[in-house]
């Protein structure tokens, strides 16, 4: 019979370390209670028998949302469609990892984010990659947005 060893019993120079550390990023939707986030995660880990996992919340940026009915969304959608010939997908929430709340909540400015990615890009992963076709389209989209904004200065201002 072999010996069962726990993580604490395994020397640090072993192939299996006795401890592990992970920095993770959570994205959430508007309305997520950031004040209770650490407690919510702790309760989830405890409920699934992971009391040994320590949780420390270092930063939490609120998610923001711009209504799909906003005039800015309609304007940006039209601009993207003119540039690409394709209807853009509209997602109203920004998942709370960028400090967009400084613009949306503090300054009260409508913000439209235009991500440039594809389903298998592995965004923010060690093997993240951007296809040349996506990069070219992204450059065209952003140039088109700025061109259209310059063509109609002040037309979107309240």
């Amino acid at each position: 019979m072999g010996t069962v060893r726990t993580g604490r019993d395994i020397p640090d120079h072993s192939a299996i370390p006795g401890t592990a550390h992970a920095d993770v990023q959570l994205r959430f939707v508007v309305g997520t209670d950031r004040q209770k986030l650490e407690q919510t995660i702790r309760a989830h880990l405890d409920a699934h028998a992971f009391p040994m996992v320590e949780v420390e919340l270092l930063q939490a940026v609120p998610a923001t949302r711009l209504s799909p009915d906003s005039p800015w969304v309609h304007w940006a959608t039209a601009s993207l469609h003119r540039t690409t010939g394709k209807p853009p997908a509209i997602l109203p929430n920004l998942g709370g990892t960028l400090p967009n709340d400084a613009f949306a909540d503090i300054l009260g400015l409508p913000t439209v984010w235009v991500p440039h990615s594809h389903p298998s890009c592995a965004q923010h992963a060690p093997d993240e990659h951007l296809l040349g076709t996506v990069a070219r389209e992204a450059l065209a989209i952003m140039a088109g947005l700025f061109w259209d904004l310059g063509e109609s200065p002040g037309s979107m201002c309240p």
Side-chain angles (χ1 to χ4, degrees), residues 15-103:
I16 303 172
T19 61
H21 173 88
D23 291 318
V24 297
Q25 184 181 82
L26 267 181
R27 294 187 181 206
F28 42 85
V29 297
V30 170
T32 300
D33 189 347
R34 293 177 306 118
Q35 307 307 324
K36 294 182 181 176
L37 194 56
E38 193 169 326
Q39 298 92 326
T40 302
I41 294 168
R42 172 79 271 143
H44 178 80
L45 291 169
D46 289 346
H48 291 85
F50 290 103
M52 75 295 281
V53 176
E54 295 178 23
V55 177
E56 179 184 10
L57 182 64
L58 300 177
Q59 175 184 342
V61 179
T64 59
R65 182 179 197 284
L66 181 62
S67 170
D69 294 327
S70 165
W72 276 106
V73 173
H74 293 293
W75 178 86
T77 299
S79 175
L80 269 67
H81 191 262
R82 271 192 302 279
T83 299
T84 65
K86 300 182 278 189
I90 308 298
L91 302 173
N93 294 316
L94 184 60
T97 56
L98 295 172
N100 193 58
D101 63 308
F103 300 100

Side-chain angles (χ1 to χ4, degrees), residues 131-147:
L131 299 174
T133 55
V134 175
R136 281 187 290 281
E137 183 180 64
L139 289 169
I141 286 171
M142 297 313 295
L145 278 170
F146 286 117
W147 181 273

Side-chain angles (χ1 to χ4, degrees), residues 116-134:
H116 312 296
S117 63
H118 55 95
S120 62
C121 72
Q123 251 183 1
H124 309 304
D127 61 345
E128 176 179 14
H129 61 282
L130 178 63
L131 299 174
T133 55
V134 175

